[in-house]
Coordinates of all heavy atoms in Angstrom, one line a residue:
E1 N 93.2 78.3 116.8 CA 93.4 78.5 118.2 C 94.5 79.4 118.6 O 94.4 80.2 119.4 CB 93.7 77.0 118.9 CG 92.5 76.0 118.7 CD 91.2 76.6 119.4 OE1 91.5 77.1 120.5 OE2 90.2 76.5 118.8
T2 N 95.7 79.3 118.0 CA 96.9 80.0 118.3 C 96.8 81.4 117.5 O 97.6 82.2 117.8 CB 98.2 79.4 117.9 OG1 98.3 79.2 116.5 CG2 98.3 78.0 118.7
R3 N 95.9 81.4 116.4 CA 95.9 82.5 115.6 C 97.2 82.8 114.8 O 97.4 84.0 114.4 CB 95.4 83.8 116.4 CG 94.0 83.5 117.0 CD 93.4 84.8 117.7 NE 92.1 84.4 118.3 CZ 91.3 85.3 118.8 NH1 91.6 86.5 119.0 NH2 90.2 84.9 119.3
E4 N 98.0 81.9 114.6 CA 99.2 82.0 113.9 C 98.9 82.5 112.5 O 98.1 81.8 111.7 CB 100.0 80.7 113.8 CG 101.3 80.9 113.0 CD 102.0 79.6 112.9 OE1 101.6 78.6 113.4 OE2 103.0 79.5 112.1
P5 N 99.4 83.5 112.0 CA 99.1 84.1 110.7 C 99.6 83.3 109.6 O 100.6 82.6 109.8 CB 99.6 85.5 110.6 CG 100.7 85.4 111.7 CD 100.3 84.5 112.8
L6 N 99.0 83.3 108.4 CA 99.4 82.6 107.3 C 100.7 83.2 106.6 O 101.4 82.5 105.8 CB 98.3 82.4 106.1 CG 98.5 81.4 105.1 CD1 98.6 80.1 105.7 CD2 97.2 81.5 104.1
A7 N 101.0 84.4 107.1 CA 102.2 85.0 106.7 C 102.6 85.9 107.9 O 101.8 86.4 108.6 CB 102.1 86.0 105.4
P8 N 103.9 86.0 108.2 CA 104.4 86.8 109.3 C 104.1 88.3 109.2 O 104.1 88.8 108.1 CB 105.9 86.4 109.4 CG 106.3 86.2 108.0 CD 105.0 85.4 107.4
Y9 N 104.0 88.9 110.3 CA 103.8 90.4 110.3 C 104.9 91.1 109.5 O 106.1 90.9 109.8 CB 103.7 90.9 111.7 CG 103.6 92.3 111.7 CD1 102.3 93.0 111.5 CD2 104.6 93.3 112.3 CE1 102.1 94.2 111.5 CE2 104.3 94.6 112.2 CZ 103.1 95.1 111.9 OH 103.0 96.5 112.0
G10 N 104.5 91.9 108.5 CA 105.5 92.7 107.8 C 106.1 91.9 106.6 O 107.0 92.4 106.0
S11 N 105.4 90.7 106.2 CA 106.0 90.0 105.1 C 104.9 89.2 104.4 O 103.8 89.3 104.8 CB 107.1 89.0 105.7 OG 107.8 88.4 104.5
S12 N 105.2 88.4 103.4 CA 104.3 87.6 102.7 C 104.8 86.2 103.1 O 105.6 85.9 103.9 CB 104.4 87.9 101.2 OG 103.3 87.0 100.6
S13 N 104.3 85.2 102.4 CA 104.7 83.8 102.5 C 104.4 83.0 101.3 O 103.7 83.5 100.4 CB 104.0 83.1 103.6 OG 102.5 83.1 103.4
P14 N 105.1 81.9 101.0 CA 104.8 81.1 99.8 C 103.2 80.7 99.7 O 102.7 80.7 98.6 CB 105.7 79.8 100.0 CG 106.8 80.3 101.0 CD 106.2 81.2 101.9
E15 N 102.6 80.5 100.9 CA 101.2 80.2 100.9 C 100.3 81.4 100.3 O 99.5 81.2 99.5 CB 100.7 79.8 102.3 CG 101.4 78.5 102.8 CD 102.7 78.8 103.5 OE1 103.3 79.9 103.5 OE2 103.1 77.9 104.4
M16 N 100.7 82.5 100.8 CA 99.9 83.7 100.5 C 100.2 84.0 98.9 O 99.2 84.3 98.2 CB 100.3 84.9 101.2 CG 99.8 85.0 102.7 SD 97.9 84.9 102.7 CE 97.5 86.5 101.9
N17 N 101.5 83.7 98.5 CA 101.8 84.0 97.1 C 101.0 83.0 96.2 O 100.5 83.4 95.1 CB 103.2 83.8 96.8 CG 104.1 84.9 97.4 OD1 103.5 86.0 97.7 ND2 105.3 84.6 97.7
Q18 N 100.8 81.7 96.7 CA 99.9 80.7 95.9 C 98.5 81.2 95.8 O 97.9 81.1 94.8 CB 100.0 79.4 96.6 CG 101.4 78.7 96.5 CD 101.4 77.3 97.2 OE1 100.5 76.6 96.9 NE2 102.3 77.1 98.0
L19 N 98.0 81.7 97.0 CA 96.6 82.2 96.9 C 96.3 83.4 96.0 O 95.4 83.5 95.2 CB 96.2 82.5 98.4 CG 96.2 81.4 99.4 CD1 95.8 82.0 100.7 CD2 95.4 80.2 99.0
I20 N 97.3 84.3 95.9 CA 97.2 85.4 95.0 C 97.3 84.9 93.6 O 96.4 85.4 92.7 CB 98.3 86.5 95.4 CG1 98.1 87.1 96.8 CG2 98.3 87.6 94.3 CD1 99.4 87.8 97.2
A21 N 98.1 84.1 93.3 CA 98.2 83.5 91.9 C 97.0 82.8 91.6 O 96.6 82.9 90.5 CB 99.5 82.5 91.9
A22 N 96.4 82.0 92.6 CA 95.2 81.3 92.3 C 94.0 82.2 92.0 O 93.1 81.9 91.1 CB 94.8 80.3 93.4
C23 N 94.0 83.4 92.6 CA 93.0 84.4 92.4 C 93.1 85.0 90.9 O 92.1 84.9 90.1 CB 93.1 85.6 93.2 SG 92.4 85.3 94.9
K24 N 94.3 85.2 90.5 CA 94.5 85.7 89.2 C 94.2 84.7 88.1 O 93.7 85.0 87.0 CB 96.0 86.3 89.1 CG 96.2 87.4 89.9 CD 97.7 88.0 89.8 CE 97.9 89.1 90.6 NZ 99.4 89.5 90.6
E25 N 94.6 83.5 88.3 CA 94.3 82.4 87.5 C 92.8 82.3 87.2 O 92.4 81.9 86.1 CB 94.8 81.0 88.0 CG 96.4 80.9 88.0 CD 96.8 79.7 88.7 OE1 95.9 79.0 89.3 OE2 98.0 79.5 88.9
R26 N 92.0 82.6 88.2 CA 90.5 82.5 88.0 C 89.9 83.8 87.6 O 88.6 83.9 87.6 CB 90.0 82.1 89.4 CG 90.2 80.6 89.7 CD 90.0 80.3 91.2 NE 90.2 78.9 91.6 CZ 91.4 78.3 91.6 NH1 92.5 78.9 91.4 NH2 91.4 76.9 92.0
G27 N 90.8 84.8 87.3 CA 90.2 86.1 86.8 C 89.9 87.1 87.8 O 88.9 87.9 87.5
L28 N 90.5 87.1 88.9 CA 90.2 88.0 90.0 C 91.5 88.6 90.3 O 92.6 88.1 90.7 CB 89.6 87.3 91.2 CG 89.2 88.2 92.4 CD1 87.9 88.8 92.0 CD2 89.0 87.3 93.7
L29 N 91.4 90.0 90.4 CA 92.6 90.8 90.8 C 92.5 91.1 92.3 O 91.5 92.0 92.7 CB 92.7 92.1 90.0 CG 94.1 92.8 89.9 CD1 95.0 91.9 89.3 CD2 94.0 94.1 89.1
P30 N 93.2 90.5 93.2 CA 93.0 90.8 94.7 C 93.9 91.9 95.2 O 94.8 92.3 94.7 CB 93.4 89.4 95.3 CG 94.5 89.0 94.4 CD 94.2 89.5 92.9
F31 N 93.5 92.3 96.4 CA 94.3 93.1 97.2 C 94.7 92.3 98.5 O 93.9 91.8 99.2 CB 93.6 94.4 97.7 CG 94.4 95.4 98.5 CD1 94.8 96.5 97.9 CD2 94.8 95.1 99.8 CE1 95.6 97.5 98.6 CE2 95.6 96.0 100.6 CZ 96.0 97.2 99.9
A32 N 96.0 92.0 98.6 CA 96.5 91.3 99.8 C 97.6 92.0 100.4 O 98.4 92.7 99.9 CB 97.1 90.0 99.2
N33 N 97.7 91.8 101.7 CA 98.8 92.5 102.6 C 99.1 91.5 103.8 O 98.0 91.2 104.6 CB 98.4 93.8 103.0 CG 99.5 94.6 103.6 OD1 100.6 94.4 103.2 ND2 99.2 95.5 104.5
F34 N 100.3 91.0 103.9 CA 100.7 90.2 105.0 C 99.8 88.9 104.9 O 99.9 88.3 103.9 CB 100.6 90.8 106.3 CG 101.3 92.2 106.5 CD1 101.2 92.9 107.7 CD2 102.2 92.4 105.5 CE1 101.9 94.1 107.7 CE2 103.0 93.7 105.8 CZ 102.8 94.4 106.8
N35 N 99.1 88.6 105.9 CA 98.2 87.4 105.9 C 96.8 87.7 105.7 O 95.8 86.8 105.9 CB 98.4 86.8 107.4 CG 97.6 87.5 108.4 OD1 97.9 88.8 108.5 ND2 96.9 87.0 109.2
R36 N 96.5 88.7 104.9 CA 95.0 89.1 104.7 C 94.8 89.2 103.2 O 95.6 89.6 102.4 CB 94.7 90.3 105.4 CG 94.9 90.3 106.9 CD 94.5 91.7 107.5 NE 95.2 92.8 106.8 CZ 96.5 93.2 107.1 NH1 97.1 92.7 108.1 NH2 97.0 94.2 106.3
I37 N 93.6 88.9 102.8 CA 93.0 89.2 101.5 C 91.9 90.3 101.8 O 91.0 90.0 102.6 CB 92.5 88.2 100.7 CG1 93.7 87.2 100.3 CG2 91.8 88.5 99.5 CD1 93.2 85.9 99.6
H38 N 92.0 91.5 101.2 CA 90.9 92.5 101.4 C 90.0 92.4 100.3 O 90.2 92.2 99.2 CB 91.6 93.8 101.4 CG 92.5 94.1 102.6 ND1 93.0 95.4 103.0 CD2 92.9 93.2 103.6 CE1 93.7 95.2 104.0 NE2 93.7 93.9 104.4
V39 N 88.7 92.6 100.6 CA 87.6 92.6 99.6 C 87.2 94.2 99.5 O 86.5 94.7 100.3 CB 86.4 91.8 100.1 CG1 85.2 91.9 99.2 CG2 86.8 90.3 100.2
V40 N 87.7 94.8 98.4 CA 87.6 96.2 98.2 C 87.3 96.6 96.8 O 88.0 97.3 96.2 CB 88.9 97.0 98.8 CG1 89.0 96.9 100.3 CG2 90.2 96.3 98.2
P41 N 86.3 96.1 96.3 CA 85.9 96.6 94.9 C 85.3 97.9 94.8 O 85.1 98.6 95.9 CB 84.7 95.5 94.6 CG 84.1 95.2 95.9 CD 85.2 95.3 96.9
P42 N 85.2 98.4 93.5 CA 84.6 99.7 93.4 C 83.3 99.9 94.2 O 82.5 98.9 94.2 CB 84.6 100.0 91.9 CG 85.7 99.1 91.4 CD 85.7 97.9 92.3
C43 N 82.9 101.1 94.5 CA 81.7 101.3 95.1 C 80.4 101.0 94.3 O 79.4 100.7 94.8 CB 81.5 102.7 95.6 SG 82.8 103.3 96.9
N44 N 80.5 101.0 93.0 CA 79.5 100.9 92.1 C 79.5 99.5 91.3 O 78.9 99.3 90.3 CB 79.3 102.0 91.1 CG 80.6 102.2 90.3 OD1 81.7 101.7 90.6 ND2 80.5 102.9 89.2
T45 N 80.4 98.6 91.9 CA 80.3 97.3 91.4 C 78.9 96.6 91.5 O 78.3 96.8 92.5 CB 81.4 96.4 92.1 OG1 82.6 97.0 91.9 CG2 81.5 95.0 91.4
S46 N 78.5 95.9 90.5 CA 77.1 95.3 90.5 C 77.1 94.1 91.6 O 78.1 93.6 92.0 CB 76.8 94.8 89.2 OG 77.5 93.6 88.9

């Protein structure tokens, strides 16, 4: 409702750090910035 981001503008947060670590634990190398996770694999990913 308020659209409060999971990390403040210009920074990260403990929550975002946990999510990035969880991706890596499961074998996924993510791209994250502030409160976002970007889905940007190579163009020829199957």
Side-chain angles (χ1 to χ4, degrees):
E1 293 299 318
T2 66
R3 302 185 180 183
E4 179 187 356
L6 197 57
Y9 180 71
S11 185
S12 188
S13 67
E15 294 89 347
M16 286 299 298
N17 291 338
Q18 287 181 52
L19 299 182
I20 294 165
C23 286
K24 292 178 180 177
E25 287 167 4
R26 290 162 172 78
L28 187 74
L29 201 62
F31 184 104
N33 195 29
F34 304 167
N35 67 312
R36 300 179 309 275
I37 293 177
H38 293 189
V39 178
V40 285
C43 297
N44 56 347
T45 306
S46 71

